[in-house]
Amino acid sequence: MRLILLGPPGSGKGTQAKRLVEEHNIPQLSTGDMLRAAAAAGSDTGKRAKAIMDAGKLVSDDIVNAIVSERIDQADCANGFILDGYPRTLPQADAVETMLLEKGTQLDAVVELRVDDDAMVERIAGRYTCSNCGAGYHDTLKMPSKTGVCDKCGGAEFKRRPDDNAEAMRTRLQVYYKETSPLIGYYYAKGLLRPVDGMAEIEAVGIEIAAVLGSL
Ligand code: AP5
């Protein structure tokens, strides 16, 4: 299964990708996570990427395409993968098509998470993750069972993303509508687009995605 999760910041791409990893035993390829790892490693590319990400803008197509191309060559991607946050521009969409053609394969579906912008600002403002295992939580929408303790690993340290603030969020939404939303028509025309109601509860969104994928 080769799948793209498409949707604005906060639409639930990462949340649903993690569920799909468990259901299909294929890796989540999050370009946001990969770029944050490069930034944390302190490479020149990572440092440049961090400044762009913190402002809510897009890292250049060349850098992101190169990162993804290298990643999908790895053995754990042989049976498929979930692209989370990539492609995000039309040139990136062309690039992934070429990458897959070169491997003699193609995309199975593009799941579009449809959401309301106002709710996205609320989701992003309350989001935090476990510093140890990366499990995702929210101040009101998805709290750990025991306050201050990660359900998955028992960790007690949590962190928030520097781009999860009101100003960067406004830029991220503007960038989404200008650069990324044209991909909806692009994939519709290819017969790959599968819209899903991203405003439903997390569990219900997961069930709808499973039904969509089951019908392919
Ligand atoms: P990236 O890390 O991809 O961020 P994003 O696209 O802005 O998406 P988010 O991770 O913010 O949201 P999400 O849709 O994954 O939602 P989540 O599941 O966390 O990119 C960050 C930056 O990196 C970009 O701005 C750019 O600079 C750079 N970058 C990345 N890829 C790039 C590319 N291809 N090209 C160029 N630059 C790139 O959910 C959010 C919250 O809501 C969570 O707290 C969750 O618990 C909660 N939630 C989720 N679903 C629901 C639900 N159904 N109901 C209630 N709450 C929910």
Side-chain angles (χ1 to χ4, degrees):
M1 169 94 56
R2 288 165 187 83
L3 185 68
I4 290 174
L5 292 179
L6 184 64
S11 56
K13 303 181 295 294
T15 302
Q16 297 300 330
K18 287 183 175 60
R19 293 175 62 107
L20 289 163
V21 166
E22 287 173 20
E23 286 166 16
H24 295 271
N25 200 24
I26 50 175
Q28 168 193 12
L29 309 189
S30 159
T31 41
D33 286 350
M34 293 179 211
L35 290 166
R36 280 184 287 277
S43 65
D44 284 347
T45 303
K47 281 183 202 157
R48 278 199 300 275
K50 180 169 169 37
I52 295 167
M53 293 165 77
D54 287 355
K57 297 179 181 165
L58 290 185
V59 176
S60 81
D61 290 338
D62 288 350
I63 289 176
V64 181
N65 289 338
I67 291 175
V68 173
S69 173
E70 197 175 304
R71 181 66 185 89
I72 65 175
D73 273 343
Q74 292 174 12
D76 63 334
C77 293
N79 293 325
F81 44 78
I82 304 144
L83 288 169
D84 161 11
Y86 178 92
R88 245 171 159 104
T89 64
L90 287 168
Q92 290 181 18
D94 288 338
V96 74
E97 191 170 336
T98 305
M99 284 174 216
L100 294 181
L101 269 177
E102 283 169 355
K103 292 178 177 301
T105 184
Q106 57 190 11
L107 288 168
D108 293 298
V110 176
V111 173
E112 181 206 354
L113 293 163
R114 291 201 171 160
V115 289
D116 299 337
D117 288 352
D118 288 347
M120 294 313 96
V121 176
E122 186 200 345
R123 283 190 192 176
I124 290 291
R127 172 171 64 178
Y128 62 98
T129 53
C130 172
S131 303
N132 181 46
C133 73
Y137 297 100
H138 190 278
D139 290 333
T140 54
L141 301 168
K142 189 180 175 219
M143 295 173 280
S145 317
K146 188 174 170 203
T147 307
V149 181
C150 176
D151 290 343
K152 285 215 168 140
C153 73
E157 300 278 329
F158 297 88
K159 60 183 178 186
R160 293 181 191 257
R161 276 171 40 180
D163 58 343
D164 282 352
N165 61 73
E167 194 186 341
M169 185 57 189
R170 269 194 300 277
T171 306
R172 286 160 65 191
L173 278 172
Q174 282 166 3
V175 168
Y176 176 80
Y177 286 110
K178 183 161 180 263
E179 303 284 349
T180 309
S181 66
L183 299 184
I184 295 169
Y186 175 93
Y187 285 119
Y188 174 80
K190 289 181 179 290
L192 288 169
L193 194 73
R194 301 289 181 274
V196 161
D197 175 15
M199 293 304 296
E201 289 187 3
I202 292 173
E203 185 68 25
V205 178
I207 290 170
E208 192 180 348
I209 293 175
V212 160
L213 299 181
S215 69
L216 291 177

